[in-house]
Amino acid sequence: LSSLGFMPTKAINGKGLVKLNGAKTLEDMVDRWESFNFDPIRESQVSRAMTRRYFQDLDTYAESDIVIVGAGSCGLSTAYMLGKARPDLKIAIIEASVSPGGGAWLGGQLFSAMVMRKPADAFLSDLGVPYEDEGSYVVVKHAALFTSTLLSKVLSFPNIKLFNATAVEDLITRPSDKGDGNVRIAGVVTNWTLVTMHHDDQSCMDPNTINAPLVISTTGHDGPFGAFCVKRLVSMNQIEKLGGMRGLDMNTAEDAIVKRTREVVPGLIVGGMELSEIDGANRMGPTFGAMALSGVKAAEEALKVFEQ
Ligand code: AHZ
């Protein structure tokens, strides 16, 4: 078996505990395919195994400490830093698409390799993603290696739940503590993305909510689902207007995005390319260092809120 490159595995029982007694290893299966069979199951067990956990998660995360909107490279980097630093915080990630990863998982893979300018190599080293050093920048051999490693780490944190195929369609607000007519953000309104996309031709589709003292928005630049939270801030009169993303300039864009990662209104931190819309910053195209480091900074800003 080892010649096939398999290592003996440990089975995981229904409670998520490692169970060694009586569990088959891959070695047990070799050359025994004639007598092979799976343990029996009833279809409803599969349904219940999935839905019980999903609805338990909806219940658990209805009150979260932090909601991250968008599971692109910035949102996932933010989640990774927060998951490492604060295993005590309940963190929900809401991703409109079925597939997490945002642009890093989509266009980022078209030429396979992913470029990160230094000093973002520090993030890759922390994550354990190998790269080639090209002097002022580094190259990961495939963008999918970056995103899948980041995702696997994020999803392994017991205090982080990713709700994908779910869109944030509004923000929950409360009057600002200052009594100045402004608001602080106090959570998000969500819906399954397919429902969100059909508000014009279907009726009566009640959304769901998550209360949280802090929302971190990393929904990318404007598009069908992009820049969601900053656009909503304009329509609710919390910022006057958007600056609009400017043309491509890698050098100015990446510095600006990291530097401008901040709490834009009380309770709402914005990171990644969504910032380019609010501030009128340049885009950087296919270099991802600013997304990782904006995530590091967004996490740092979030930790300040919880240390107050
Ligand atoms: O599906 C979106 C994507 O996965 C998700 N999203 C957007 N609106 C949402 C909503 N509710 C839930 N209302 C929502 N999810 O947010 C994710 C954004 O990921 P992204 O990769 O687009 O943004 P990012 O800021 O993490 O990374 C930007 C990557 C880019 S774009 C770019 C350029 O155009 O020049 N360069 C880089 C590096």
Side-chain angles (χ1 to χ4, degrees):
L1 188 69
S2 57
S3 66
L4 293 175
F6 288 126
M7 295 300 287
T9 56
K10 294 171 182 175
I12 298 189
N13 75 9
K15 290 181 185 141
L17 300 171
V18 174
K19 180 185 164 196
L20 291 170
N21 288 345
K24 284 197 170 70
T25 66
L26 288 176
E27 272 168 334
D28 294 332
M29 289 172 216
V30 167
D31 294 332
R32 292 184 210 167
W33 298 113
E34 286 305 314
S35 60
F36 172 85
N37 60 328
F38 280 104
D39 287 357
I41 201 160
R42 191 169 167 77
E43 287 75 5
S44 61
Q45 285 179 284
V46 177
S47 295
R48 285 178 172 152
M50 295 189 297
T51 55
R52 191 190 312 125
R53 284 168 178 78
Y54 192 82
F55 287 106
Q56 180 59 56
D57 284 338
L58 281 181
D59 185 291
T60 304
Y61 287 87
E63 284 284 351
S64 291
D65 295 301
I66 300 176
V67 175
I68 298 174
V69 191
S73 46
C74 182
L76 290 173
S77 301
T78 309
Y80 171 67
M81 297 306 292
L82 288 172
K84 275 202 318 172
R86 292 293 297 266
D88 56 315
L89 296 179
K90 249 192 285 176
I91 303 167
I93 310 175
I94 311 296
E95 169 51 54
S97 177
V98 175
S99 63
W105 192 251
L106 299 173
Q109 292 193 54
L110 292 180
F111 287 108
S112 305
M114 173 182 268
V115 174
M116 286 212 189
R117 294 164 60 207
K118 290 183 179 178
D121 54 322
F123 187 80
L124 296 174
S125 301
D126 193 282
L127 199 58
V129 171
Y131 54 78
E132 276 178 78
D133 194 326
E134 296 275 5
S136 61
Y137 64 94
V138 299
V139 185
V140 179
K141 75 171 187 179
H142 203 297
L145 177 61
F146 169 74
T147 308
S148 61
T149 307
L150 182 55
L151 199 54
S152 77
K153 301 250 161 126
V154 165
L155 294 179
S156 300
F157 290 119
N159 58 323
I160 297 185
K161 168 69 185 180
L162 168 66
F163 293 98
N164 40 345
T166 304
V168 167
E169 55 179 39
D170 207 349
L171 296 169
I172 299 176
T173 64
R174 299 279 185 263
S176 145
D177 303 334
K178 294 181 187 145
D180 54 6
N182 288 330
V183 297
R184 70 185 160 83
I185 307 305
V188 295
V189 179
T190 68
N191 220 324
W192 278 303
T193 303
L194 287 177
V195 176
T196 298
M197 291 167 74
H198 282 276
H199 282 309
D200 291 341
D201 53 50
Q202 299 283 322
S203 60
C204 226
M205 297 183 292
D206 292 335
N208 198 5
T209 54
I210 300 179
N211 284 107
L214 188 63
V215 174
I216 303 177
S217 190
T218 62
T219 67
H221 58 68
D222 200 5
F225 275 101
F228 176 80
C229 290
V230 298
K231 286 194 284 191
R232 189 68 183 100
L233 289 182
V234 175
S235 59
M236 62 168 80
N237 269 337
Q238 293 303 299
I239 52 179
E240 203 182 321
K241 61 180 177 111
L242 296 181
M245 183 179 71
R246 305 292 158 84
L248 194 150
D249 179 344
M250 288 185 185
N251 286 298
T252 54
E254 291 213 279
D255 293 355
I257 293 296
V258 176
K259 284 183 186 152
R260 292 173 187 185
T261 301
R262 64 189 186 280
E263 191 172 19
V264 170
V265 299
L268 183 76
I269 292 170
V270 180
M273 277 306 278
E274 186 167 354
L275 281 164
S276 70
E277 298 290 354
I278 198 170
D279 292 327
N282 293 97
R283 73 195 304 176
M284 70 289 297
T287 53
F288 283 86
M291 297 305 117
L293 297 189
S294 173
V296 173
K297 190 166 178 220
E300 202 177 288
E301 295 296 309
L303 293 178
K304 284 185 204 156
V305 172
F306 284 91
E307 279 154 13
Q308 278 165 16

